[in-house]
Amino acid sequence: MAGSRSERLLALLQALRRHRRPVAGADLASETGISLRTLYRDIASLRAQGAHIEGEAGLGYLLKPGFLLPPLMFSPEEIEALVLGSRWVAGTADPKLAGAARDLMTKVAAVLPGDLREDLDRTTLMVPRREQVADTADVGGIREAIRQERVLRIAYRNEQGEASERHIWPFALAYFERVRVVLAWCELREDFRSFRTDRILDFADAGRRYRRRRAVLLKEWKTAQGISPET
């Protein structure tokens, strides 16, 4: 693999992060484009810098979470992806999340080495601004309910203008170009349903947590939609 030693170590670190189960050294070497001998040296270097990598030759390797390789490094493509994604969030998401995207870019720029900071400033990938449908619900509050796995009582008006009250288990929020959609288990329908945030007239915490973890609900929803759980 071309590039400096720091870039090589970063690539190996990223490869380890992509695997949730132990991965064979030969597979890691192939994935990162280095020899098996170099892989063993780089594993030792990462461990010396504080990376908690479990395993050994013949058994496979697994990176435990919580390690960042200093200094913070990105490839040109990673910088472009970061800028493009942050600009999209800043222009599309609810105000609180949009502000967080701008703050994120400021924090990243503050810790990047000088040459990479220049790449960040020079990136010319743009996201066109589109008129958003105004939310009638506090999307930030809904995101908090998803994080806390709280049941919400919502007043909802469907496309035909019919109003109803539901108790839902919100587990995901989908951001489209003009609207946002809450994915949830609906207690009334006893099935998965989606609710546009511009049609949620009001919502409140129902005073209880839902009985299944949001990761489980998301996996079940993907299965019902014919989507790979790994997507």
Side-chain angles (χ1 to χ4, degrees):
M1 179 179 177
S4 67
R5 178 174 177 272
S6 62
E7 290 173 331
R8 194 178 73 234
L9 291 177
L10 178 63
L12 175 57
L13 190 65
Q14 294 297 88
L16 283 163
R17 283 175 172 154
R18 285 193 290 269
H19 295 278
R20 297 184 180 181
R21 297 181 178 83
V23 56
D27 292 337
L28 280 173
S30 176
E31 190 173 339
T32 54
I34 59 178
S35 69
L36 196 56
R37 183 176 180 180
T38 299
L39 174 84
Y40 294 148
R41 286 202 306 265
D42 288 350
I43 290 284
S45 295
L46 287 174
R47 283 172 167 165
Q49 295 186 51
H52 187 190
I53 301 173
E54 295 183 343
E56 57 186 81
L59 297 178
Y61 297 94
L62 178 66
L63 175 68
K64 292 297 183 179
F67 174 71
L68 293 175
L69 179 66
L72 187 60
M73 298 287 290
F74 294 103
S75 70
E77 288 78 16
E78 287 170 339
I79 287 178
E80 290 183 337
L82 182 63
V83 171
L84 187 62
S86 295
R87 287 176 177 172
W88 188 91
V89 172
T92 306
D94 57 275
K96 191 171 183 179
L97 199 58
R102 290 187 287 269
D103 290 345
L104 170 65
M105 291 307 299
T106 300
K107 290 178 180 178
V108 168
V111 297
L112 280 177
D115 57 336
L116 293 183
R117 191 179 307 119
E118 291 179 5
D119 288 344
L120 190 72
D121 294 336
R122 288 195 298 258
T123 298
T124 55
L125 301 182
M126 306 300 293
V127 177
R129 296 292 182 124
R130 297 184 182 275
E131 184 178 353
Q132 299 279 302
V133 174
D135 294 310
T136 53
D138 174 12
V139 178
I142 293 173
R143 288 191 287 105
E144 179 65 21
I146 292 172
R147 286 195 293 268
Q148 299 296 326
E149 300 181 338
R150 305 293 296 181
V151 177
L152 293 180
R153 174 181 53 79
I154 67 170
Y156 191 74
R157 191 179 302 279
N158 65 17
E159 188 175 3
Q160 290 73 39
E162 301 166 335
S164 63
E165 184 173 294
R166 314 283 187 95
H167 283 79
I168 65 172
W169 304 359
F171 60 84
L173 188 61
Y175 285 81
F176 296 93
E177 281 190 319
R178 300 186 67 241
V179 300
R180 284 149 290 279
V181 176
V182 180
L183 304 179
W185 176 266
C186 176
E187 291 184 355
L188 178 65
R189 302 302 183 191
E190 296 186 337
D191 201 355
F192 293 110
R193 289 290 187 271
S194 59
F195 302 91
R196 281 177 45 163
T197 56
D198 60 307
R199 294 177 182 165
I200 298 176
L201 308 177
D202 190 21
F203 75 88
D205 191 316
R208 54 193 170 95
R209 297 183 66 180
Y210 44 79
R211 295 186 297 274
R212 298 204 297 279
R213 301 306 302 269
R214 68 174 181 269
V216 173
L217 290 171
L218 180 60
K219 184 176 180 180
E220 291 175 351
W221 176 83
K222 286 182 175 180
T223 299
Q225 301 297 314
I227 301 172
S228 169
E230 302 302 321
T231 303

